[in-house]
Amino acid sequence: MCGKNDLYAQVIILKLLLSDADFHLFFHDIKVCFKKYKVHKMILGKMGFPENWERINRIKKYTKSKMI
């Protein structure tokens, strides 16, 4: 894992910035792409994706009002 400079970190940022509907579309597209091109787990690992990367949908967005 490369930390905040890897592709997975960018996906997490998109999860936090995009609307839920837009991220759902992006998430679906990236899963289809990985499946279509048969991206190996080792390659995903080099891009910073953990084995359970698909659980990113469980990351919750917090607004300032929820933090107080």
Side-chain angles (χ1 to χ4, degrees):
M1 231 189 250
C2 300
K4 63 184 177 180
N5 295 320
D6 58 30
L7 182 60
Y8 187 67
Q10 305 307 312
V11 173
I12 292 171
I13 290 168
L14 289 174
K15 167 69 175 164
L16 298 173
L17 293 177
L18 294 175
S19 69
D20 290 339
D22 286 341
F23 183 78
H24 180 73
L25 291 171
F26 168 76
F27 181 72
H28 172 74
D29 288 347
I30 201 167
K31 283 185 359 181
V32 168
C33 181
F34 288 168
K35 188 173 185 175
K36 178 179 178 181
Y37 295 103
K38 296 179 172 90
V39 179
H40 192 275
K41 288 181 182 180
M42 184 178 75
I43 301 298
L44 288 175
K46 290 191 181 283
M47 293 188 291
F49 286 75
E51 283 191 36
N52 63 349
W53 74 271
E54 292 181 37
R55 297 177 74 190
I56 192 171
N57 274 334
R58 295 183 182 180
I59 293 175
K60 303 285 185 208
K61 292 182 185 180
Y62 291 98
T63 61
K64 214 174 197 183
S65 62
K66 289 181 185 177
M67 297 173 79
I68 296 176

Coordinates of all heavy atoms in Angstrom, one line a residue:
M1 N 0.8 -1.2 0.0 CA 0.0 0.0 0.0 C 0.9 1.2 0.0 O 1.9 1.3 0.7 CB -0.9 0.0 1.2 CG -2.3 0.2 0.9 SD -3.3 0.4 2.4 CE -4.2 -1.1 2.4
C2 N 0.4 2.2 -0.7 CA 1.2 3.5 -0.9 C 0.7 4.6 0.0 O 1.4 5.6 0.0 CB 1.2 3.9 -2.3 SG 1.9 2.7 -3.5
G3 N -0.4 4.4 0.6 CA -0.9 5.5 1.5 C -1.7 6.5 0.7 O -2.5 6.1 -0.2
K4 N -1.6 7.7 1.0 CA -2.5 8.7 0.5 C -2.2 9.0 -1.0 O -3.0 9.8 -1.6 CB -2.5 10.0 1.3 CG -1.2 10.7 1.3 CD -1.3 11.9 2.2 CE 0.1 12.6 2.3 NZ 0.1 13.7 3.2
N5 N -1.2 8.5 -1.6 CA -0.9 8.7 -3.0 C -1.3 7.6 -3.9 O -1.0 7.7 -5.1 CB 0.6 9.0 -3.1 CG 1.1 10.2 -2.4 OD1 0.4 11.2 -2.4 ND2 2.2 10.2 -1.8
D6 N -2.0 6.6 -3.4 CA -2.4 5.5 -4.3 C -3.8 5.7 -4.9 O -4.5 6.6 -4.5 CB -2.2 4.2 -3.6 CG -3.1 4.1 -2.3 OD1 -4.1 4.7 -2.3 OD2 -2.7 3.3 -1.4
L7 N -4.1 4.9 -5.8 CA -5.4 5.0 -6.5 C -6.6 4.8 -5.5 O -7.6 5.4 -5.6 CB -5.5 4.0 -7.7 CG -6.8 4.1 -8.5 CD1 -7.0 5.5 -9.1 CD2 -6.8 3.0 -9.6
Y8 N -6.4 3.8 -4.6 CA -7.5 3.5 -3.7 C -7.8 4.7 -2.8 O -9.0 5.0 -2.5 CB -7.2 2.3 -2.8 CG -8.3 1.9 -1.9 CD1 -9.5 1.4 -2.5 CD2 -8.3 2.0 -0.5 CE1 -10.5 1.0 -1.7 CE2 -9.3 1.6 0.3 CZ -10.4 1.1 -0.3 OH -11.5 0.7 0.5
A9 N -6.8 5.5 -2.4 CA -7.0 6.7 -1.6 C -7.9 7.7 -2.4 O -8.7 8.4 -1.9 CB -5.7 7.3 -1.3
Q10 N -7.6 7.8 -3.7 CA -8.4 8.6 -4.6 C -9.9 8.2 -4.6 O -10.8 9.0 -4.7 CB -7.8 8.7 -6.0 CG -6.4 9.1 -6.0 CD -6.1 10.4 -5.2 OE1 -6.8 11.4 -5.4 NE2 -5.1 10.4 -4.4
V11 N -10.1 6.9 -4.6 CA -11.5 6.3 -4.7 C -12.2 6.7 -3.4 O -13.4 7.0 -3.4 CB -11.4 4.8 -4.9 CG1 -12.8 4.2 -4.7 CG2 -10.9 4.5 -6.3
I12 N -11.5 6.6 -2.2 CA -12.0 7.0 -1.0 C -12.4 8.5 -1.0 O -13.5 8.8 -0.5 CB -11.1 6.7 0.2 CG1 -10.9 5.2 0.4 CG2 -11.6 7.4 1.5 CD1 -9.8 4.8 1.4
I13 N -11.6 9.3 -1.5 CA -11.9 10.7 -1.7 C -13.2 10.9 -2.5 O -14.1 11.7 -2.1 CB -10.7 11.5 -2.3 CG1 -9.6 11.6 -1.3 CG2 -11.2 12.9 -2.7 CD1 -8.3 12.0 -1.8
L14 N -13.3 10.2 -3.6 CA -14.5 10.3 -4.4 C -15.7 9.8 -3.6 O -16.8 10.4 -3.7 CB -14.4 9.5 -5.7 CG -13.4 10.0 -6.7 CD1 -13.2 9.0 -7.9 CD2 -13.9 11.4 -7.2
K15 N -15.6 8.8 -2.8 CA -16.7 8.3 -1.9 C -17.2 9.4 -1.0 O -18.4 9.6 -0.8 CB -16.2 7.1 -1.1 CG -17.1 6.7 0.0 CD -18.4 6.1 -0.5 CE -19.2 5.6 0.7 NZ -20.6 5.4 0.4
L16 N -16.3 10.2 -0.5 CA -16.6 11.3 0.4 C -17.2 12.5 -0.3 O -17.9 13.3 0.3 CB -15.4 11.6 1.3 CG -14.9 10.5 2.2 CD1 -13.6 10.9 2.9 CD2 -16.0 10.0 3.1
L17 N -16.7 12.8 -1.5 CA -17.1 14.0 -2.2 C -18.3 13.9 -3.1 O -19.1 14.8 -3.2 CB -15.9 14.5 -3.1 CG -14.7 15.0 -2.3 CD1 -13.6 15.4 -3.2 CD2 -15.1 16.2 -1.4
L18 N -18.5 12.7 -3.7 CA -19.6 12.5 -4.7 C -20.9 12.3 -3.9 O -20.9 11.8 -2.8 CB -19.4 11.3 -5.6 CG -18.2 11.5 -6.6 CD1 -18.0 10.2 -7.3 CD2 -18.5 12.6 -7.6
S19 N -22.0 12.6 -4.6 CA -23.3 12.2 -4.0 C -23.3 10.7 -3.9 O -22.6 10.0 -4.6 CB -24.4 12.7 -4.9 OG -24.5 12.0 -6.1
D20 N -24.2 10.1 -3.1 CA -24.3 8.7 -3.0 C -24.7 8.0 -4.3 O -24.1 7.0 -4.7 CB -25.4 8.3 -2.0 CG -24.9 8.6 -0.5 OD1 -23.7 8.7 -0.3 OD2 -25.8 8.7 0.3
A21 N -25.6 8.7 -5.1 CA -26.0 8.1 -6.4 C -24.8 8.1 -7.4 O -24.6 7.1 -8.1 CB -27.1 8.9 -7.0
D22 N -24.1 9.2 -7.4 CA -22.9 9.3 -8.3 C -21.8 8.3 -8.0 O -21.2 7.7 -8.8 CB -22.3 10.7 -8.4 CG -23.2 11.7 -9.1 OD1 -24.1 11.3 -9.9 OD2 -23.0 12.9 -8.9
F23 N -21.6 8.2 -6.7 CA -20.6 7.2 -6.3 C -21.0 5.8 -6.6 O -20.2 5.0 -7.0 CB -20.2 7.3 -4.8 CG -19.1 6.4 -4.4 CD1 -17.8 6.7 -4.8 CD2 -19.3 5.2 -3.8 CE1 -16.7 5.8 -4.5 CE2 -18.3 4.2 -3.6 CZ -17.0 4.6 -3.9
H24 N -22.3 5.5 -6.4 CA -22.8 4.2 -6.7 C -22.5 3.8 -8.2 O -22.1 2.7 -8.5 CB -24.3 4.1 -6.4 CG -24.9 2.7 -6.7 ND1 -24.6 1.6 -5.9 CD2 -25.6 2.3 -7.7 CE1 -25.2 0.6 -6.4 NE2 -25.9 1.0 -7.5
L25 N -22.8 4.8 -9.1 CA -22.5 4.6 -10.5 C -21.0 4.4 -10.7 O -20.6 3.5 -11.5 CB -23.0 5.8 -11.3 CG -24.5 5.9 -11.4 CD1 -24.8 7.3 -12.1 CD2 -25.1 4.8 -12.2
F26 N -20.2 5.2 -10.1 CA -18.7 5.1 -10.3 C -18.2 3.7 -9.7 O -17.5 3.0 -10.4 CB -18.0 6.2 -9.5 CG -16.5 6.0 -9.4 CD1 -15.7 6.2 -10.4 CD2 -16.0 5.6 -8.2 CE1 -14.3 5.9 -10.3 CE2 -14.7 5.3 -8.0 CZ -13.8 5.5 -9.1
F27 N -18.7 3.3 -8.6 CA -18.3 2.1 -7.9 C -18.7 0.9 -8.8 O -17.9 0.0 -9.0 CB -19.0 2.0 -6.6 CG -18.7 0.7 -5.8 CD1 -17.5 0.6 -5.2 CD2 -19.7 -0.3 -5.6 CE1 -17.2 -0.5 -4.5 CE2 -19.4 -1.4 -4.9 CZ -18.1 -1.5 -4.3
H28 N -19.9 0.9 -9.4 CA -20.4 -0.1 -10.3 C -19.5 -0.2 -11.5 O -19.0 -1.3 -11.9 CB -21.8 0.1 -10.7 CG -22.3 -0.8 -11.8 ND1 -22.6 -2.1 -11.5 CD2 -22.5 -0.6 -13.1 CE1 -22.9 -2.7 -12.7 NE2 -22.9 -1.8 -13.6
D29 N -19.2 0.9 -12.1 CA -18.3 1.0 -13.3 C -16.9 0.5 -13.0 O -16.3 -0.3 -13.8 CB -18.2 2.4 -13.8 CG -19.5 2.9 -14.5 OD1 -20.4 2.0 -14.7 OD2 -19.6 4.1 -14.7
I30 N -16.3 0.8 -11.9 CA -15.0 0.3 -11.6 C -15.0 -1.2 -11.3 O -14.1 -1.9 -11.8 CB -14.3 1.1 -10.4 CG1 -12.8 1.0 -10.5 CG2 -14.8 0.7 -9.1 CD1 -12.1 1.9 -9.6
K31 N -16.0 -1.7 -10.7 CA -16.1 -3.2 -10.5 C -16.2 -3.9 -11.9 O -15.6 -4.9 -12.1 CB -17.3 -3.5 -9.6 CG -17.0 -3.3 -8.2 CD -18.1 -3.7 -7.2 CE -19.3 -4.3 -7.7 NZ -20.3 -4.7 -6.7
V32 N -17.0 -3.4 -12.8 CA -17.2 -3.9 -14.1 C -15.9 -3.9 -14.8 O -15.5 -4.9 -15.5 CB -18.3 -3.2 -14.9 CG1 -18.3 -3.6 -16.3 CG2 -19.7 -3.5 -14.2
C33 N -15.2 -2.8 -14.8 CA -13.9 -2.6 -15.4 C -12.9 -3.7 -14.9 O -12.2 -4.3 -15.7 CB -13.4 -1.2 -15.2 SG -11.8 -0.9 -16.0
F34 N -12.8 -3.8 -13.6 CA -11.8 -4.8 -13.0 C -12.2 -6.2 -13.5 O -11.3 -7.0 -13.7 CB -11.8 -4.7 -11.5 CG -11.2 -3.4 -11.0 CD1 -11.3 -3.1 -9.6 CD2 -10.4 -2.6 -11.8 CE1 -10.7 -2.0 -9.1 CE2 -9.8 -1.5 -11.2 CZ -9.9 -1.2 -9.9
K35 N -13.5 -6.5 -13.5 CA -13.9 -7.8 -13.9 C -13.6 -8.0 -15.4 O -13.1 -9.1 -15.8 CB -15.4 -8.0 -13.6 CG -15.9 -9.4 -13.8 CD -17.3 -9.6 -13.3 CE -17.7 -11.1 -13.5 NZ -19.0 -11.3 -12.9
K36 N -14.0 -7.1 -16.2 CA -13.8 -7.2 -17.7 C -12.3 -7.4 -18.1 O -12.0 -8.2 -18.9 CB -14.3 -5.9 -18.4 CG -14.1 -5.9 -19.9 CD -14.7 -4.6 -20.5 CE -14.4 -4.5 -22.0 NZ -14.9 -3.3 -22.5
Y37 N -11.4 -6.7 -17.4 CA -10.0 -6.8 -17.7 C -9.3 -7.8 -16.8 O -8.1 -7.9 -16.9 CB -9.4 -5.4 -17.7 CG -9.9 -4.6 -18.8 CD1 -10.9 -3.6 -18.6 CD2 -9.6 -4.8 -20.2 CE1 -11.4 -2.8 -19.6 CE2 -10.1 -4.0 -21.2 CZ -11.0 -3.0 -20.9 OH -11.5 -2.3 -21.9
K38 N -10.0 -8.5 -16.0 CA -9.5 -9.5 -15.1 C -8.3 -9.0 -14.4 O -7.2 -9.6 -14.4 CB -9.2 -10.8 -15.9 CG -10.4 -11.4 -16.5 CD -10.0 -12.6 -17.3 CE -11.2 -13.4 -17.7 NZ -11.9 -13.3 -18.8
V39 N -8.5 -7.9 -13.7 CA -7.4 -7.3 -12.9 C -7.0 -8.2 -11.7 O -7.9 -8.6 -10.9 CB -7.8 -5.9 -12.4 CG1 -6.6 -5.3 -11.6 CG2 -8.1 -5.0 -13.6
H40 N -5.8 -8.6 -11.7 CA -5.3 -9.6 -10.6 C -5.2 -8.9 -9.3 O -4.9 -7.7 -9.2 CB -3.9 -10.1 -11.1 CG -3.5 -11.3 -10.2 ND1 -2.8 -11.1 -9.1 CD2 -3.6 -12.6 -10.5 CE1 -2.5 -12.3 -8.6 NE2 -3.0 -13.2 -9.4
K41 N -5.4 -9.6 -8.2 CA -5.3 -9.1 -6.9 C -4.0 -8.4 -6.6 O -3.9 -7.4 -5.9 CB -5.6 -10.2 -5.8 CG -7.0 -10.6 -5.8 CD -7.3 -11.7 -4.7 CE -8.7 -12.1 -4.7 NZ -9.0 -13.2 -3.7
M42 N -2.9 -9.0 -7.2 CA -1.6 -8.4 -6.9 C -1.6 -7.0 -7.5 O -1.0 -6.0 -6.9 CB -0.5 -9.2 -7.6 CG 0.9 -8.7 -7.3 SD 2.1 -9.8 -8.0 CE 2.0 -9.4 -9.7
I43 N -2.2 -6.8 -8.7 CA -2.2 -5.5 -9.4 C -3.0 -4.5 -8.5 O -2.6 -3.4 -8.3 CB -2.7 -5.6 -10.8 CG1 -1.9 -6.5 -11.7 CG2 -2.9 -4.2 -11.4 CD1 -0.5 -6.1 -11.9
L44 N -4.2 -5.0 -8.1 CA -5.0 -4.1 -7.2 C -4.2 -3.7 -6.0 O -4.3 -2.6 -5.5 CB -6.3 -4.9 -6.8 CG -7.3 -5.0 -7.9 CD1 -8.5 -5.9 -7.4 CD2 -7.8 -3.7 -8.4
G45 N -3.5 -4.7 -5.4 CA -2.7 -4.3 -4.2 C -1.6 -3.3 -4.5 O -1.4 -2.4 -3.7
K46 N -1.1 -3.3 -5.7 CA -0.1 -2.3 -6.0 C -0.7 -0.9 -6.2 O 0.0 0.1 -6.1 CB 0.7 -2.7 -7.3 CG 1.6 -3.9 -7.0 CD 2.6 -4.1 -8.2 CE 3.5 -5.3 -7.9 NZ 4.6 -5.0 -7.0
M47 N -2.0 -0.9 -6.5 CA -2.7 0.3 -6.6 C -3.3 0.8 -5.3 O -4.0 1.8 -5.2 CB -3.9 0.2 -7.7 CG -3.4 0.0 -9.1 SD -4.7 0.1 -10.3 CE -5.6 -1.4 -10.0
G48 N -3.0 0.0 -4.2 CA -3.5 0.4 -2.9 C -4.8 -0.2 -2.5 O -5.2 0.0 -1.4
F49 N -5.4 -1.0 -3.3 CA -6.7 -1.6 -3.0 C -6.5 -2.8 -2.0 O -5.8 -3.8 -2.4 CB -7.4 -2.1 -4.2 CG -8.0 -1.1 -5.1 CD1 -7.2 -0.3 -5.9 CD2 -9.3 -0.8 -5.1 CE1 -7.7 0.7 -6.7 CE2 -9.9 0.2 -5.9 CZ -9.1 0.9 -6.7
P50 N -7.1 -2.8 -0.9 CA -7.0 -3.9 0.0 C -7.9 -5.1 -0.5 O -8.7 -4.8 -1.4 CB -7.6 -3.4 1.4 CG -8.5 -2.3 1.0 CD -7.9 -1.7 -0.3
E51 N -7.7 -6.3 0.0 CA -8.5 -7.4 -0.5 C -10.0 -7.2 -0.4 O -10.8 -7.6 -1.2 CB -8.1 -8.7 0.2 CG -6.8 -9.3 -0.3 CD -6.5 -10.7 0.2 OE1 -7.5 -11.4 0.3 OE2 -5.4 -11.0 0.4
N52 N -10.4 -6.4 0.7 CA -11.8 -6.2 0.9 C -12.2 -4.8 0.4 O -13.1 -4.2 1.0 CB -12.2 -6.4 2.4 CG -11.4 -5.4 3.3 OD1 -10.5 -4.7 2.8 ND2 -11.8 -5.3 4.5
W53 N -11.6 -4.3 -0.7 CA -11.9 -3.0 -1.1 C -13.3 -2.7 -1.5 O -13.8 -1.6 -1.3 CB -11.0 -2.7 -2.4 CG -11.5 -3.4 -3.6 CD1 -11.1 -4.6 -4.1 CD2 -12.4 -2.8 -4.6 NE1 -11.7 -4.9 -5.2 CE2 -12.5 -3.8 -5.6 CE3 -13.1 -1.6 -4.7 CZ2 -13.3 -3.6 -6.7 CZ3 -13.9 -1.5 -5.8 CH2 -14.0 -2.5 -6.8
E54 N -14.1 -3.7 -1.8 CA -15.5 -3.5 -2.2 C -16.3 -3.1 -1.0 O -17.5 -2.6 -1.1 CB -16.1 -4.7 -2.8 CG -15.5 -5.0 -4.2 CD -16.0 -6.2 -4.9 OE1 -17.3 -6.4 -4.7 OE2 -15.3 -6.9 -5.5
R55 N -15.8 -3.2 0.2 CA -16.5 -2.7 1.4 C -16.5 -1.2 1.6 O -17.0 -0.7 2.6 CB -15.9 -3.4 2.7 CG -16.1 -4.9 2.6 CD -15.4 -5.6 3.8 NE -16.2 -5.3 5.0 CZ -15.8 -5.6 6.2 NH1 -14.7 -6.2 6.4 NH2 -16.6 -5.4 7.2
I56 N -15.9 -0.5 0.6 CA -15.8 0.9 0.7 C -17.2 1.5 0.8 O -17.4 2.6 1.3 CB -15.1 1.5 -0.5 CG1 -14.8 3.0 -0.3 CG2 -15.9 1.3 -1.8 CD1 -13.8 3.6 -1.4
N57 N -18.2 0.8 0.3 CA -19.6 1.3 0.4 C -20.0 1.5 1.8 O -21.0 2.2 2.1 CB -20.6 0.4 -0.3 CG -20.7 0.8 -1.8 OD1 -20.4 1.9 -2.2 ND2 -21.0 -0.2 -2.6
R58 N -19.3 0.9 2.8 CA -19.7 1.0 4.2 C -19.1 2.3 4.8 O -19.5 2.6 6.0 CB -19.2 -0.2 5.0 CG -19.9 -1.5 4.5 CD -19.5 -2.6 5.3 NE -20.1 -3.8 4.8 CZ -20.0 -5.0 5.3 NH1 -19.1 -5.2 6.3 NH2 -20.6 -6.1 4.8
I59 N -18.2 3.0 4.2 CA -17.7 4.2 4.7 C -18.8 5.2 4.8 O -19.5 5.5 3.8 CB -16.5 4.8 3.8 CG1 -15.4 3.8 3.9 CG2 -16.1 6.2 4.3 CD1 -14.2 4.2 3.0
K60 N -19.0 5.8 6.0 CA -20.0 6.8 6.2 C -19.5 8.2 6.0 O -18.4 8.5 6.3 CB -20.6 6.7 7.6 CG -21.1 5.3 8.0 CD -22.4 5.1 7.3 CE -23.0 3.8 7.8 NZ -23.9 3.1 6.9
K61 N -20.3 9.1 5.4 CA -20.0 10.5 5.3 C -20.5 11.2 6.6 O -21.5 10.9 7.1 CB -20.7 11.1 4.1 CG -20.3 10.6 2.8 CD -21.0 11.4 1.7 CE -20.7 10.8 0.4 NZ -21.4 11.5 -0.7
Y62 N -19.6 12.0 7.1 CA -20.0 12.8 8.3 C -20.0 14.3 7.9 O -19.1 14.8 7.3 CB -19.0 12.6 9.4 CG -19.1 11.2 10.0 CD1 -18.2 10.2 9.6 CD2 -20.1 10.8 10.9 CE1 -18.4 8.9 10.1 CE2 -20.3 9.6 11.4 CZ -19.4 8.6 11.0 OH -19.5 7.3 11.5
T63 N -21.1 14.9 8.3 CA -21.1 16.4 8.1 C -20.7 17.0 9.4 O -20.7 16.4 10.5 CB -22.6 16.8 7.7 OG1 -23.5 16.5 8.8 CG2 -23.0 16.2 6.4
K64 N -20.5 18.3 9.4 CA -20.1 19.0 10.6 C -21.1 18.9 11.7 O -20.8 18.7 12.8 CB -19.9 20.5 10.2 CG -18.8 21.2 11.0 CD -18.6 22.6 10.5 CE -17.3 23.1 10.9 NZ -17.1 24.5 10.5
S65 N -22.4 18.9 11.3 CA -23.5 18.8 12.3 C -23.5 17.4 13.0 O -23.9 17.3 14.2 CB -24.8 19.1 11.7 OG -25.1 18.2 10.7
K66 N -23.1 16.4 12.3 CA -23.0 15.1 12.9 C -21.9 14.9 13.8 O -21.9 14.0 14.7 CB -23.0 14.0 11.8 CG -24.2 13.8 11.0 CD -24.0 12.7 10.0 CE -25.2 12.6 9.1 NZ -25.0 11.6 8.0
M67 N -20.8 15.7 13.7 CA -19.6 15.6 14.5 C -19.7 16.3 15.8 O -19.0 16.0 16.7 CB -18.4 16.1 13.7 CG -18.1 15.3 12.4 SD -16.8 16.0 11.4 CE -15.4 15.5 12.3
I68 N -20.7 17.2 15.9 CA -20.8 18.0 17.1 C -21.7 17.3 18.2 O -22.5 16.5 17.9 CB -21.4 19.4 16.8 CG1 -20.4 20.1 15.9 CG2 -21.7 20.2 18.1 CD1 -21.0 21.5 15.4

